[in-house]
Amino acid sequence: MADEAPVLITLQAKDLTCSICICRYKCPTTLPCGHTFCMDCIESYWRTNKKNVCPVCQNVLSSKPHLSKNTDLASLLDLLQAQDTKAHENCAECTGPVPLKYCLPCMTPLCQSHLRLHEDSVLQRHLLVNPLNAAFNWSCRQHIKGLQHFCVSHCQPLCPDCVSQHKECQPVPLLDLYRKNKDKYEKKISEMNRDITKHKQVISEKKNNYHESQVLFCEIKENLTKEFRDMKDYLDKQERAAFWRIKQEQERAQKKINEIINPLITGIEKVKELKTQLEDRLQNDWIEVLKDTRAESDIFKPLTTTKDEVLFDENRIVDITHMVSEIKKSLFKHALLEQSHCPPKQEDLLEIQVGDASCSAVHHPEKRPKMFQPFPEDTLRFQAAEASCGFVQHPTAKPQEKCSNKFLQWARNVFFDEETISCRLSYSRDLKTVTVSDNNQYPKQPRRFTNCQALGSQGFSTGFHYWEISTKESNVGAVGVASSEISQGDQLGRNNLSWCIEWNSDRFVAWHNKDNIKIRQPKPDVVGVLLDGDERLLSFYSIVEEVQTLLHTYKLPLNYLLFPAIWLSGIKKGNSLSIIHF
């Protein structure tokens, strides 16, 4: 036996720990069921519970057994005690200034390692709490025994030695009181959680209702827009029809007057010729005068004029004016929806639209309605008619002033975002101009476009915002807006996250979600972009000498943060776009 090799056994702390005191066995004793406890601990347990039962397996003993020391286990503990300096009683982390937890019934500070002994306990007599502030004081802080009671009158935890000093206060078991109050707290917290969840659901429902109402408002606005557009189209058709009828009467009057005047002009020429012959004969050939034996009526027959004829149908003109008056009365008999003044921005937009129309008529005669173009038969007559309509200025009239750009009140100085500018584009120092180059310029970025595109550094969602981009140095390109969620490889206008107008040598179109709409205007040198975040409208304008001509308008979806955006064809080096600085 002496020659046998020693056996190495690995034991964990819980293998030699009493399940009651959570400390190493002191005078260990083993019950008939095989579980081992400190002798003092099991006797105290039986006195408290008044039942001879094993705390671990709950095996009921018929009678209280005679407890004897487990000498083998005690010898092993003595041997380990001599070698182990990291018992709970000697643990520097447990007894240090900041232990992790306290066990109130044991009045034991615990570190991370010894905390597991209490947490893994199958008993429910331990209560782990956070350490109290050092400023908090109680009478049992320096006592050996744990906190077993609580004095409600003095609001102090008490150890068994101090309970006698508070007999009149009738202290209660600390663990029972804590668990009772803990149940109250947990019940209240549960009620609060239910209340929070309930109100969150109410908020979610309100938000959903609001979103649905916004969708409904947008649909109503679109329907109203269509209704007003239909009425405007109807009035526009009536206007064109009225002027067309007047034009027909003008042409009829001109034709009639030509039928009357042309024979008279021919007769006058013949009379002039005969007059010249007679004067010459009378002056130079008196023999022929003597020879002329014709009667006076044969020599000259006076010109005959027709009686006054009606040049145009007055009743037709009266009917037109009467019909227009009736249409006006039918419109004006309805009360205004808004009795007070409309919001300023709506008035400003109206002024801009009216100003645009008037400026286009004055400064761009080629854009006038065809009904006002002069007829070749009588240019002077129709020049006078145009002057009365306000399309032609008299030489002595005071020149009209140019229309100022009303959009400038919402002007924003935007800049290109360095992190989105394509590697094929070079940018100016002030981040206002991008130009197509023939090599990669910048390192890769998560938001950098792979094609020749760039976004602005500022995003807009609400309110009015306006900026202008010069396109003079770009033969092929696009100007628009895009959501920040647009991917690196997406081209402007070819997805549902971007809107733009695009031009090249043979066409000018508006693009969105792969759909294009042809714009019947020449490519402008300056494009103005107006974003109405409140009404979710995006409009593109041609800016020529402070005259704004609408190119195209998009109705935008809700809840998009939009950034200025451009695209350039990467084929031609030097192709560039510039943001105009206000």
Side-chain angles (χ1 to χ4, degrees):
M1 297 294 290
D3 296 335
E4 292 182 1
V7 177
L8 297 178
I9 300 176
T10 302
L11 294 176
Q12 296 182 0
K14 65 180 181 179
D15 296 330
L16 302 174
T17 301
C18 174
S19 300
I20 299 176
C21 66
I22 316 300
C23 297
R24 284 193 180 175
Y25 295 121
K26 296 176 183 178
C27 190
T29 182
T30 303
L31 300 183
C33 62
H35 293 108
T36 303
F37 306 93
C38 298
M39 189 175 293
D40 291 341
C41 290
I42 191 60
E43 287 180 348
S44 176
Y45 180 79
W46 284 342
R47 284 194 302 270
T48 303
N49 290 275
K50 297 180 181 181
K51 289 183 180 181
N52 298 325
V53 62
C54 175
V56 176
C57 65
Q58 301 297 313
N59 182 32
V60 180
L61 305 175
S62 58
S63 62
K64 182 178 180 181
H66 174 71
L67 299 177
S68 60
K69 184 177 183 180
N70 188 332
T71 55
D72 291 337
L73 184 55
S75 299
L76 180 59
L77 288 168
D78 292 339
L79 181 60
L80 290 175
Q81 183 67 28
Q83 298 178 0
D84 188 9
T85 59
K86 291 193 176 181
H88 172 62
E89 294 80 1
N90 300 323
C91 179
E93 294 184 12
C94 287
T95 59
V98 186
L100 187 65
K101 291 284 186 180
Y102 269 108
C103 176
L104 283 184
C106 301
M107 192 53 191
T108 304
L110 300 167
C111 66
Q112 183 65 46
S113 299
H114 293 97
L115 177 63
R116 299 194 189 97
L117 301 178
H118 282 58
E119 289 178 339
D120 296 340
S121 174
V122 297
L123 302 178
Q124 297 299 319
R125 64 179 299 273
H126 299 287
L127 179 61
L128 302 178
V129 296
N130 293 326
L132 293 175
N133 192 312
F136 185 80
N137 189 21
W138 65 85
S139 58
C140 302
R141 179 182 284 274
Q142 305 301 328
H143 294 181
I144 298 174
K145 296 184 179 180
L147 303 175
Q148 303 291 331
H149 300 83
F150 185 79
C151 178
V152 179
S153 300
H154 294 87
C155 296
Q156 283 190 350
L158 302 172
C159 68
D161 294 339
C162 296
V163 173
S164 59
Q165 301 175 13
H166 295 260
K167 286 183 178 180
E168 297 180 357
C169 301
Q170 296 181 349
V172 297
L174 181 142
L175 195 57
D176 293 343
L177 179 62
Y178 183 84
R179 286 176 177 164
K180 180 181 178 181
N181 290 340
K182 179 183 176 184
D183 291 340
K184 290 182 182 178
Y185 275 61
E186 289 177 347
K187 184 178 180 181
K188 268 304 175 196
I189 291 172
S190 178
E191 292 176 358
M192 291 177 181
N193 286 333
R194 287 196 298 269
D195 192 56
I196 291 172
T197 303
K198 177 182 176 182
H199 285 84
K200 283 185 176 180
Q201 290 176 350
V202 172
I203 292 173
S204 178
E205 291 175 359
K206 295 298 182 184
K207 286 184 177 180
N208 290 335
N209 292 338
Y210 173 76
H211 179 71
E212 292 175 358
S213 67
Q214 292 302 305
V215 173
L216 178 61
F217 290 153
C218 288
E219 292 177 354
I220 292 174
K221 286 183 179 179
E222 290 178 358
N223 292 335
L224 289 177
T225 301
K226 183 179 182 301
E227 295 292 338
F228 279 107
R229 187 183 295 115
D230 291 343
M231 287 190 285
K232 291 176 182 177
D233 291 342
Y234 170 77
L235 291 176
D236 182 62
K237 290 178 181 178
Q238 291 285 29
E239 180 185 11
R240 286 187 280 112
F243 282 109
W244 175 253
R245 289 189 179 184
I246 293 175
K247 174 188 172 183
Q248 288 179 322
E249 294 304 320
Q250 287 176 320
E251 289 178 341
R252 185 179 290 108
Q254 184 174 348
K255 182 179 179 181
K256 196 69 176 176
I257 197 67
N258 288 338
E259 290 176 353
I260 296 173
I261 292 176
N262 288 340
L264 291 177
I265 293 175
T266 302
I268 290 173
E269 294 298 327
K270 290 181 179 180
V271 170
K272 286 182 178 180
E273 183 180 354
L274 178 61
K275 174 187 172 185
T276 302
Q277 292 177 359
L278 294 177
E279 287 178 347
D280 181 70
R281 183 177 299 178
L282 181 63
Q283 183 72 23
N284 301 316
D285 196 350
W286 53 274
I287 294 297
E288 288 295 326
V289 173
L290 293 174
K291 289 180 179 180
D292 194 348
T293 59
R294 291 177 297 175
E296 183 179 351
S297 59
D298 295 333
I299 297 174
F300 169 68
K301 294 181 179 180
L303 295 175
T304 58
T305 58
T306 60
K307 61 180 181 179
D308 293 339
E309 295 186 14
V310 177
L311 299 180
F312 62 91
D313 188 351
E314 291 185 2
N315 293 330
R316 190 178 178 89
I317 300 300
V318 172
D319 290 342
I320 294 173
T321 56
H322 178 71
M323 181 191 68
V324 173
S325 298
E326 290 298 319
I327 293 175
K328 180 180 177 181
K329 289 179 181 178
S330 66
L331 287 176
F332 284 9
K333 73 179 181 179
H334 296 284
L336 289 176
L337 295 175
E338 180 61 65
Q339 296 295 338
S340 61
H341 291 295
C342 295
K345 60 184 180 183
Q346 298 295 337
E347 290 179 349
D348 292 339
L349 285 178
L350 183 60
E351 290 177 6
I352 292 170
Q353 293 172 357
V354 174
D356 289 349
S358 62
C359 289
S360 297
V362 174
H363 298 289
H364 301 277
E366 70 279 2
K367 297 181 181 179
R368 300 172 191 168
K370 290 184 178 179
M371 55 190 162
F372 288 117
Q373 298 295 339
F375 305 118
E377 295 85 356
D378 200 342
T379 304
L380 291 179
R381 183 187 300 275
F382 282 91
Q383 284 180 349
E386 286 189 340
S388 64
C389 294
F391 289 105
V392 177
Q393 296 180 354
H394 294 286
T396 57
K398 182 180 179 180
Q400 296 188 16
E401 296 180 357
K402 290 184 179 180
C403 298
S404 61
N405 190 341
K406 299 295 182 64
F407 297 139
L408 294 181
Q409 60 183 309
W410 303 301
R412 301 289 181 265
N413 272 318
V414 298
F415 304 88
F416 289 115
D417 183 3
E418 295 178 74
E419 295 183 358
T420 64
I421 297 176
S422 168
C423 293
R424 293 291 311 281
L425 298 174
S426 61
Y427 58 86
S428 60
R429 182 175 298 180
D430 62 355
L431 290 173
K432 288 284 191 178
T433 302
V434 290
T435 306
V436 177
S437 59
D438 55 1
N439 57 350
N440 292 336
Q441 300 285 326
Y442 319 110
K444 291 184 177 180
Q445 294 284 351
R447 299 174 57 235
R448 193 176 301 286
F449 286 109
T450 56
N451 49 18
C452 291
Q453 291 184 169
L455 294 181
S457 58
Q458 301 100 316
F460 309 111
S461 60
T462 59
F464 276 81
H465 308 278
Y466 176 76
W467 61 93
E468 293 179 350
I469 295 182
S470 173
T471 64
K472 293 180 180 179
E473 304 301 323
S474 170
N475 295 324
V476 181
V479 171
V481 299
S483 168
S484 59
E485 298 175 2
I486 188 172
S487 63
Q488 294 173 284
D490 285 343
Q491 184 173 346
L492 200 62
R494 275 40 170 206
N495 50 74
N496 63 343
L497 297 175
S498 59
W499 299 257
C500 72
I501 57 171
E502 180 181 315
W503 60 88
N504 55 29
S505 58
D506 59 351
R507 65 174 185 166
F508 189 24
V509 294
W511 277 97
H512 171 60
N513 204 16
K514 296 183 180 179
D515 289 332
N516 65 83
I517 300 173
K518 187 174 181 181
I519 300 175
R520 301 185 182 278
Q521 294 283 348
K523 173 234 171 184
D525 288 339
V526 176
V527 174
V529 184
L530 178 65
L531 176 61
D532 181 355
D534 297 331
E535 299 295 331
R536 309 307 296 173
L537 294 175
L538 174 67
S539 302
F540 299 95
Y541 290 85
S542 170
I543 309 300
V544 180
E545 297 180 354
E546 297 185 346
V547 176
Q548 306 89 45
T549 303
L550 180 64
L551 300 175
H552 193 73
T553 297
Y554 278 112
K555 180 70 174 178
L556 302 175
L558 296 173
N559 301 326
Y560 267 131
L561 179 63
L562 299 177
F563 294 78
I566 60 95
W567 168 81
L568 284 167
S569 173
I571 298 176
K572 184 178 179 181
K573 181 182 177 182
N575 210 17
S576 68
L577 288 171
S578 299
I579 300 173
I580 295 177
H581 184 80
F582 294 106

